[in-house]
Amino acid sequence: MNDNDYGLRDVLGLIRRQYRLILLTIVLVLGTATAVTFTMKPIYAAATYVMVDTSSKNILAPDSGGVAYQDSSLVDSEVELVASDTVLRRVLADENLVELPEFGIQPSTFDSLLYTLRIKQPVEPTPDDLVDVALGTLAGSISVSRVGYTYLITISARSANPGVAARIANAVARAYVEEQLASKINVILSASTAIQARITEANKSVAASEDAFDTFISTNLDEIAASTGRTDLIAVRTELEGMIKAGATLASQVQTGADSAAKQDWDALATALRDDAIAKLASDRARLEAGLDSASTNTDSLRDQLSKIDAQLQAQASASLSTLRAQLADTQSRAGDLRKTLRTDVLAANLPADTLASIYAMQQSAEIARTQYQTLLARSKDLETQAYLQVPDSRIVSSALPPGAPTFPNKRLILTIAGIIGLIGGVGVALLYENVIGGYTSPEQLSNVARVSVPAAIPRQPDLKSNGNQPSLTLADYLVAAPLSAYSESIRRLRVGVDQAVRRAKTARGESVEHAVIMVTSAAPGEGKTTTALALARAYATSGNTTLLVDCDLRKPSLHRQLGVEPSVGLLEYLAQPGEGRSLRSIVTTDTVTGVQVVVGARQSEIATDQFVTGQSFARLISAARQSFDVVILDTPPVGPVVDGLYMAAYVDAIAVIVRFGKTPQREVHTALRSLNDAKAPSTEILAVLNQADIRSRPYRGAYGDY
């Protein structure tokens, strides 16, 4: 019984004893959870699925296939990008979520109270505040996750409105895909812009290399012609210079003519193009304008003629400019041909080695510049084409639909968890009640919690009625007046338990089982220990044992009231006398009902009673009682408030601790048991007795009278 382990059997016993308290706790927890659950705002969740394609794609070469990236961290990176501020801000703008109430600024309960009491005035939020709050609410309402190790991303959105939940999930997916595509296009356009700057530099490099070659030939042509005898090269250069000059003149005419035509300055156009037809039409137009200004009638006809001349001027100017541009192109083409002829002829001439090396170096430089320019130009065109033929790496494979049922609160899950918590809490409350707070309500509880043997539970019984002039009867009189009552049987059951405990103790010490000393005590006053001690003494006496009952409660004796006799200071005088001056028989009184020998006491509050039980006198009393009686019962004071009983525990063979049903605090019982366990002999057993127990819950007790 001293084992401190709390096993499964103990738990089941606890549940059996306290099932009402456990059920009440479960009902309270479930009721609270139900009330809270049904007051919660339902939240709906919708999910959109996006597939991430990790292969590289080129629409311009569809047959080239794609290369899959083995690094799955790319998908994890995309998961983070879905919930980025850029995507969420785009969703806010596209869906105008700032206007929805659930994405607006919601004042706290405390602020609402202050507004109601007019202690604080609400502040009008700025547009930036509204956007920031809506952005935070949106970020908190969505969740993005990767489905296992696949390339599938789940975008979930939560809202009090199922339609809004689906709308947000789809909007986030669309914004993410669009941002991904825009990012790819911007990267390509940025590369194209960088290449354009390089193209300009390459063009200048080509022109510079060509000019350097032509300048070298022009500068050294006389020397080349003289050294090679190629006088025809001079003629070609002269013709080329003439073509260049003619081309410059034509280019100037085209530019001047185009400017004049744009300004409709027909006289300047006629002069620039040297076109007589345009000059005549311009003169006619000037005459018509002069006639229109001076005429008062027939102005409509003049305006029609003026419009026709304007049309003729436009047509003639366009034709003349086209002819002039054709001449310019022909002149530039002929100049180019002459330049090529001059270069070819110079290279074909028998040139000196150093001159030939210089020309070759310039040719190579020009060729490299032209190749770089062509490469950059081709790459620029390719990038411009690719920029508008890009496709996103991710695509929506399943759009969200408005959910039919809310995902929060999950009433079944919440109530299940609440039931489990209620069960655990109920067991915990029951354990706390049995071990700390409440009193003991069954022998099983007392045995399991206190870890002591409980041989009997003494039932609650009404007082016996007296007959005539007899003194009032007590519960202890049941042993004589009602020997077959449940009370009398419980006392006899207690006697059996005490006898067994005494037998075990004496056997352990190697002593005879005769002449037992039994201590009856309690943890606190008012437990019924004196009545129980008297009833137990009478049970021993009626069975033929010579029995002595000693009222050892020296501070507050009460046994004399139970017996209806006068109090006596004989015990105090016996304990106070040193030596063997007074015999035990001189202080003994006989119980007229059963013949129990009784030593009663009288209260003397001014005396510290522990001095009487710690000396040789008390030891002499116990020794004399053992020699003269079969059974000696000591009615000791409660061990909680008085220490006398702890000194007496060393002299006894068994200890019966009386615990009142449902009243004695468990902490006091545990403290008393620990104190007695430290004070008693090792072989002495401690028994607990549940007094004034309610036995109505035991059905077989009602038929006990039949026995």
Side-chain angles (χ1 to χ4, degrees):
M1 300 303 293
N2 292 327
D3 187 11
N4 292 324
D5 294 336
Y6 208 78
L8 179 60
R9 180 175 298 178
D10 299 320
V11 175
L12 295 178
L14 171 71
I15 294 174
R16 185 182 67 254
R17 294 189 300 271
Q18 300 294 338
Y19 71 93
R20 292 186 181 87
L21 180 59
I22 294 173
L23 287 178
L24 178 61
T25 304
I26 293 175
V27 170
L28 289 176
V29 173
L30 282 176
T32 303
T34 302
V36 172
T37 300
F38 282 93
T39 57
M40 289 180 176
K41 180 188 295 184
I43 300 297
Y44 296 84
T48 301
Y49 292 91
V50 176
M51 178 68 74
V52 180
D53 188 356
T54 59
S55 62
S56 60
K57 295 169 285 295
N58 187 353
I59 294 180
L60 298 179
D63 298 332
S64 62
V67 179
Y69 298 109
Q70 298 299 324
D71 187 6
S72 65
S73 61
L74 175 64
V75 183
D76 295 330
S77 301
E78 295 299 322
V79 170
E80 297 299 325
L81 291 175
V82 172
S84 63
D85 285 347
T86 302
V87 174
L88 298 185
R89 286 184 180 276
R90 182 164 186 163
V91 172
L92 286 179
D94 293 345
E95 301 297 324
N96 196 23
L97 297 181
V98 178
E99 301 297 329
L100 295 181
E102 64 180 292
F103 290 91
I105 297 178
Q106 303 293 336
S108 63
T109 304
F110 181 71
D111 288 339
S112 300
L113 178 61
L114 294 181
Y115 298 155
T116 304
L117 299 176
R118 300 185 181 276
I119 298 175
K120 181 180 180 181
Q121 296 297 326
V123 179
E124 187 69 23
T126 64
D128 291 340
D129 293 336
L130 294 175
V131 171
D132 291 341
V133 171
L135 186 63
T137 305
L138 178 60
S141 65
I142 67 168
S143 59
V144 184
S145 61
R146 180 181 181 182
V147 181
Y149 292 99
T150 66
Y151 296 120
L152 200 62
I153 295 177
T154 304
I155 303 174
S156 299
R158 297 174 297 278
S159 174
N161 187 312
V164 173
R167 172 183 165 191
I168 292 175
N170 293 327
V172 171
R174 286 195 304 269
Y176 157 66
V177 173
E178 292 170 359
E179 283 294 328
Q180 187 184 75
L181 179 60
S183 177
K184 294 182 68 175
I185 293 174
N186 290 335
V187 169
I188 294 175
L189 292 179
S190 298
S192 177
T193 302
I195 289 178
Q196 285 295 335
R198 296 294 301 162
I199 287 175
T200 302
E201 296 177 2
N203 190 17
K204 293 179 181 179
S205 178
V206 170
S209 61
E210 294 289 344
D211 291 343
F213 189 23
D214 293 339
T215 301
F216 178 82
I217 292 176
S218 177
T219 302
N220 298 281
L221 188 61
D222 293 335
E223 182 180 350
I224 292 172
S227 62
T228 60
R230 294 289 300 272
T231 56
D232 58 318
L233 297 176
I234 303 299
V236 174
R237 183 183 65 180
T238 301
E239 185 178 0
L240 175 60
E241 291 175 350
M243 287 295 176
I244 292 173
K245 186 180 295 185
T249 302
L250 288 172
S252 177
Q253 285 182 332
V254 168
Q255 184 64 41
T256 303
D259 293 341
S260 299
K263 298 176 182 179
Q264 293 186 351
D265 187 353
W266 307 119
D267 293 332
L269 179 63
T271 302
L273 299 183
R274 299 174 185 176
D275 191 320
D276 294 338
I278 293 177
K280 182 177 182 306
L281 289 171
S283 175
D284 293 342
R285 187 179 187 285
R287 188 180 67 256
L288 287 173
E289 283 185 340
L292 184 62
D293 293 338
S294 60
S296 58
T297 60
N298 201 19
T299 56
D300 293 338
S301 176
L302 292 176
R303 286 193 179 90
D304 290 340
Q305 294 180 18
L306 187 61
S307 298
K308 291 179 181 179
I309 290 178
D310 285 340
Q312 291 175 358
L313 282 171
Q314 290 286 358
Q316 186 63 36
S318 178
S320 298
L321 284 173
S322 297
T323 302
L324 197 61
R325 289 191 180 96
Q327 293 177 0
L328 175 61
D330 181 64
T331 301
Q332 290 176 342
S333 176
R334 291 174 62 188
D337 292 339
L338 289 173
R339 185 178 289 105
K340 291 180 180 179
T341 300
L342 182 60
R343 292 178 180 178
T344 303
D345 291 344
V346 169
L347 293 174
N350 189 14
L351 298 174
D354 56 345
T355 303
L356 189 62
S358 298
I359 293 175
Y360 180 76
M362 285 185 287
Q363 275 187 316
Q364 288 297 107
S365 177
E367 184 65 25
I368 292 172
R370 281 194 297 271
T371 301
Q372 291 179 345
Y373 175 73
Q374 291 171 357
T375 300
L376 291 172
L377 191 62
R379 182 57 180 162
S380 175
K381 295 296 183 182
D382 185 41
L383 289 175
E384 290 178 0
T385 304
Q386 287 185 12
Y388 299 101
L389 292 177
Q390 288 298 308
V391 293
D393 293 332
S394 302
R395 64 182 185 276
I396 300 174
V397 295
S398 177
S399 298
L401 297 176
T407 57
F408 178 86
N410 189 335
K411 298 178 182 178
R412 179 177 299 177
L413 178 61
I414 291 176
L415 293 180
T416 300
I417 295 175
I420 295 173
I421 293 175
L423 176 59
I424 297 174
V427 174
V429 171
L431 188 63
L432 183 65
Y433 180 81
E434 283 206 351
N435 290 275
V436 180
I437 300 174
Y440 294 103
T441 57
S442 69
E444 294 83 0
Q445 177 193 3
L446 178 57
S447 175
N448 291 330
V449 176
R451 299 294 179 176
V452 293
S453 176
V454 182
I458 301 175
R460 182 184 297 113
Q461 295 288 343
D463 292 336
L464 291 170
K465 296 181 180 180
S466 61
N467 295 323
N469 296 325
Q470 294 181 356
S472 60
L473 302 179
T474 65
L475 290 176
D477 294 318
Y478 268 91
L479 269 296
V480 177
L484 297 182
S485 64
Y487 181 87
S488 301
E489 186 63 24
S490 65
I491 295 298
R492 288 191 287 269
R493 188 177 296 275
L494 171 59
R495 187 191 68 190
V496 172
V498 171
D499 288 342
Q500 293 172 351
V502 170
R503 186 180 302 111
R504 287 190 293 268
K506 285 184 170 289
T507 302
R509 295 196 296 264
E511 299 176 358
S512 172
V513 296
E514 299 176 351
H515 308 295
V517 179
I518 303 164
M519 173 179 172
V520 179
T521 187
S522 63
E527 304 292 279
K529 64 175 181 58
T530 299
T531 302
T532 304
L534 177 57
L536 181 61
R538 286 176 172 175
Y540 275 108
T542 55
S543 64
N545 294 289
T546 57
T547 307
L548 174 65
L549 175 60
V550 183
D551 191 349
C552 294
D553 192 348
L554 304 180
R555 299 191 187 184
K556 193 176 181 181
S558 61
L559 184 58
H560 60 278
R561 287 194 295 270
Q562 296 272 0
L563 297 173
V565 299
E566 293 297 325
S568 172
V569 295
L571 179 59
L572 288 174
E573 293 176 350
Y574 179 89
L575 296 176
Q577 288 179 356
E580 303 289 340
R582 191 170 185 178
S583 67
L584 178 60
R585 292 290 181 179
S586 63
I587 61 173
V588 170
T589 301
T590 302
D591 176 22
T592 59
V593 177
T594 59
V596 175
Q597 302 298 297
V598 182
V599 177
V600 298
R603 184 175 183 180
Q604 293 188 6
S605 58
E606 69 277 4
I607 300 176
T609 57
D610 60 313
Q611 62 183 332
F612 298 111
V613 298
T614 57
Q616 294 297 322
S617 297
F618 187 78
R620 179 166 55 86
L621 171 66
I622 298 299
S623 177
R626 280 184 184 273
Q627 295 175 5
S628 303
F629 298 92
D630 296 330
V631 177
V632 179
I633 298 177
L634 306 181
D635 177 20
T636 68
V639 298
V642 183
V643 299
D644 295 3
L646 300 179
Y647 291 109
M648 300 176 191
Y651 298 96
V652 302
D653 301 313
I655 302 173
V657 179
I658 310 303
V659 179
R660 189 168 178 178
F661 179 88
K663 179 180 179 181
T664 310
Q666 296 183 25
R667 188 180 300 276
E668 293 187 12
V669 174
H670 294 173
T671 302
L673 292 176
R674 283 197 300 270
S675 300
L676 288 170
N677 192 62
D678 294 336
K680 70 180 181 62
S683 59
T684 301
E685 290 189 20
I686 300 176
L687 309 176
V689 181
L690 192 61
N691 192 25
Q692 299 185 20
D694 185 1
I695 61 172
R696 289 176 298 176
S697 60
R698 299 172 180 262
Y700 69 88
R701 296 296 188 185
Y704 188 81
D706 294 342
Y707 288 89

